[in-house]
Amino acid sequence: MQSLSFFFSHSHRTSPVVRMLSSNPKAVMNLNPDNSSSSSSSTRATTTNQLLAHITTCKSSLSSVSVSRIEDSRDDEEPQLVVVSFYKFADFPDHADLRKPLKHLCESLYISGGIILAPEGINGSICGIRKSVEQVLDFIQSDDRLKGLRQIESPVTPEEEAIHHGHTTTSPLAAGEDAPFRWDHVRVKLKKEIVSLGMPSVSPNERVGKYVTPDEWNSLINDPDTVVIDVRNDYETRIGKFKGAVDPRTTAFREFPSWVDDEFHLSPSDTQVDTRDSAEESGNEGQKAPPRVAMYCTGGIRCEKASSFLLSKGFKEVYHLQGGILKYLEEVPKTESLWEGECFVFDKRVSVKHGLVPGNFKLCYGCKKPVSDADMESPEWEYGVTCPYCYASKSEEEKERARARQRQFEEWGVIGGPDKGHRPVKAKDANDTDGAQMPRSM
């Protein structure tokens, strides 16, 4: 295994301030004042602005910070990659202020993956060596509103580690097609919701269903009076689900509210029932009470919103699997499991099995849906272009564009060619013997 000096061999590309942040995360955390629960939102909103102001002030004094200091302090450590998924619903109106410092910290520590920031909280999945991932999570939770992140950790196979360590930031393939993420790339996005239901009034911060731990889940869903609902989309449920679960067959989470209305025949008046009262207390003795519902999803985040939505519709008994399928597959022995198939994950592992070991599915780069070995034997399968699930829905023009992208990747290692994002290098003028370029005319 390579020493950690490999990971920082290109750190000259980051600013001295960023290198300081990576070598001393406590310094970053100390810049965030302790926000008590009684602090006003305007006071809390200044936290990240203070951090950025402090960084600007310190830039000149930190120019002597060198990469060797980082390398010297970490030479004896053994790199071990982990993938951590996390989320937290919170009142976070100043979420945009966190984007730049968080992205800079991730880049300095070579953290890969994706993070979403929204007024309702944070949601992300990142990959890196354990200590670097912990530094990022500590930095996020230095804001009191984001303390107590719900986290799920997945192991990385030796093969994926080899791919990760075998590529540099200058490699056109980055971490290749089989690593969990492009190891030198992290995206921090600003969105309206951390998980899109399209109903801003539905807030897990106000009310949410009852959490059920993985060891209690089997007894709940084995009860014949419990309706078990898979809150994921059709391409996810196709490769695995809990025994006896109802599949809404949605193509996007935004379709879930309409499915609930249709499935349970809820009228507009049903939504006016006070969820704190029973049917008898509200005088609707003839009204059929909604059933006891137990929901699950990949990591638990969609169920938070789905349970809040059902409570707003008058459902009284709403349960959801704490930590989602991933936590269940991690903690419940296969011999006791009620899970059938594999679980789709939103990274290049595509799917995982019990123990969170990588599954057997691959990804169709035409539609980003999972495909099996049998699917790839179909005449509708074309690598990088189509699969049996998207072949009929794609026009010939779309297929040809996909083929062109695939040819670029096969030839250059990156889609768009080696000059993507850069101005192409101009050929030298035949009369320019020293190679100097003529100045552009004004």
Side-chain angles (χ1 to χ4, degrees):
M1 190 70 69
Q2 301 180 28
S3 70
L4 281 181
S5 60
F6 170 82
F7 291 97
F8 296 92
S9 60
H10 297 278
S11 293
H12 64 278
R13 299 182 180 181
T14 59
S15 70
V17 174
V18 171
R19 293 199 296 271
M20 179 274 289
L21 296 180
S22 66
S23 61
N24 188 6
K26 291 184 178 179
V28 179
M29 295 174 65
N30 290 337
L31 296 177
N32 281 332
D34 183 24
N35 298 322
S36 64
S37 58
S38 61
S39 299
S40 67
S41 60
S42 61
T43 301
R44 293 181 303 191
T46 64
T47 300
T48 309
N49 290 333
Q50 290 174 341
L51 170 62
L52 292 173
H54 187 91
I55 289 175
T56 302
T57 303
C58 294
K59 273 186 177 180
S60 59
S61 63
L62 289 171
S63 58
S64 61
V65 177
S66 65
V67 177
S68 60
R69 287 178 55 189
I70 301 174
E71 294 177 345
D72 292 343
S73 65
R74 298 173 179 246
D75 276 344
D76 297 331
E77 298 177 8
E78 189 77 7
Q80 180 185 4
L81 294 180
V82 292
V83 174
V84 176
S85 299
F86 58 90
Y87 72 89
K88 175 70 184 291
F89 284 97
D91 184 15
F92 200 30
D94 55 326
H95 62 286
D97 294 337
L98 183 60
R99 182 180 181 274
K100 285 186 177 180
L102 180 56
K103 183 174 176 63
H104 288 165
L105 179 61
C106 289
E107 288 175 342
S108 72
L109 296 173
Y110 287 97
I111 294 295
S112 61
I115 301 172
I116 296 173
L117 301 172
E120 65 177 10
I122 187 170
N123 178 22
S125 186
I126 58 177
C127 177
I129 60 173
R130 182 176 295 279
K131 284 199 171 184
S132 295
V133 169
E134 289 174 353
Q135 287 181 34
V136 171
L137 297 177
D138 286 345
F139 173 63
I140 292 171
Q141 294 180 100
S142 64
D143 187 316
D144 283 353
R145 294 167 294 176
L146 301 179
K147 284 186 184 298
L149 290 174
R150 296 192 178 276
Q151 303 175 32
I152 301 173
E153 180 181 312
S154 301
V156 176
T157 66
E159 292 78 13
E160 289 167 338
E161 289 233 16
I163 294 171
H164 181 103
H165 299 316
H167 292 80
T168 69
T169 54
T170 58
S171 169
L173 287 177
E177 294 183 12
D178 299 320
F181 300 100
R182 258 189 59 183
W183 82 277
D184 62 335
H185 182 68
V186 65
R187 291 186 296 178
V188 183
K189 293 185 175 182
L190 302 179
K191 292 192 174 184
K192 294 180 180 179
E193 300 174 85
I194 57 175
V195 57
S196 298
L197 184 64
M199 302 181 70
S201 60
V202 174
S203 173
N205 290 321
E206 297 178 6
R207 55 182 172 184
V208 72
K210 298 177 182 178
Y211 298 100
V212 181
T213 59
D215 62 314
E216 300 170 329
W217 181 250
N218 285 359
S219 60
L220 174 65
I221 66 175
N222 274 329
D223 188 326
D225 292 329
T226 301
V227 176
V228 185
I229 302 176
D230 194 319
V231 187
R232 302 172 304 153
N233 298 320
D234 54 2
Y235 61 90
E236 300 171 85
T237 59
R238 173 166 50 80
I239 70 171
K241 63 189 185 79
F242 279 105
K243 185 177 181 180
V246 177
D247 181 3
R249 298 186 182 278
T250 55
T251 59
F253 187 44
R254 286 172 174 267
E255 298 175 7
F256 182 74
S258 297
W259 176 83
V260 170
D261 289 344
D262 295 340
E263 179 71 14
F264 298 102
H265 307 291
L266 299 177
S267 64
S269 60
D270 292 331
T271 63
Q272 304 303 316
V273 176
D274 189 338
T275 58
R276 293 169 297 179
D277 302 325
S278 65
E280 291 74 17
E281 290 171 333
S282 62
N284 297 325
E285 297 181 2
Q287 177 181 320
K288 182 180 178 181
R292 175 198 300 153
V293 170
M295 299 181 294
Y296 66 89
C297 56
T298 307
I301 186 169
R302 279 178 279 188
C303 285
E304 299 254 12
K305 274 202 168 179
S307 67
S308 183
F309 171 73
L310 289 187
L311 290 172
S312 74
K313 285 290 189 178
F315 285 72
K316 306 299 185 298
E317 290 190 83
V318 181
Y319 302 86
H320 49 112
L321 178 58
Q322 189 170 22
I325 304 164
L326 295 180
K327 201 66 177 175
Y328 183 92
L329 295 180
E330 178 187 359
E331 296 187 357
V332 176
K334 187 176 181 179
T335 54
E336 302 174 13
S337 176
L338 296 179
W339 176 259
E340 299 175 334
E342 298 182 12
C343 177
F344 180 83
V345 290
F346 296 89
D347 58 57
K348 293 182 180 179
R349 293 173 298 171
V350 183
S351 67
V352 295
K353 300 184 288 188
H354 281 88
L356 301 183
V357 298
N360 299 314
F361 284 82
K362 299 295 186 292
L363 199 68
C364 169
Y365 291 101
C367 63
K368 303 299 189 291
K369 295 179 180 178
V371 288
S372 65
D373 290 340
D375 292 329
M376 290 186 283
E377 295 296 327
S378 167
E380 296 175 332
W381 164 260
E382 185 177 351
Y383 185 78
V385 181
T386 60
C387 71
Y389 305 101
C390 66
Y391 181 87
S393 63
K394 289 187 176 294
S395 67
E396 285 304 317
E397 183 180 355
E398 289 174 316
K399 293 173 186 174
E400 190 51 46
R401 284 201 301 266
R403 292 184 185 105
R405 288 194 300 269
Q406 187 59 28
R407 287 193 295 269
Q408 291 173 356
F409 186 82
E410 291 172 357
E411 182 175 359
W412 301 108
V414 289
I415 295 174
D419 295 321
K420 181 180 180 181
H422 304 281
R423 192 174 291 176
V425 179
K426 293 183 178 180
K428 294 181 180 180
D429 192 290
N431 299 322
D432 186 8
T433 55
D434 62 1
Q437 291 186 357
M438 295 295 291
R440 185 176 299 175
S441 59
M442 299 300 290

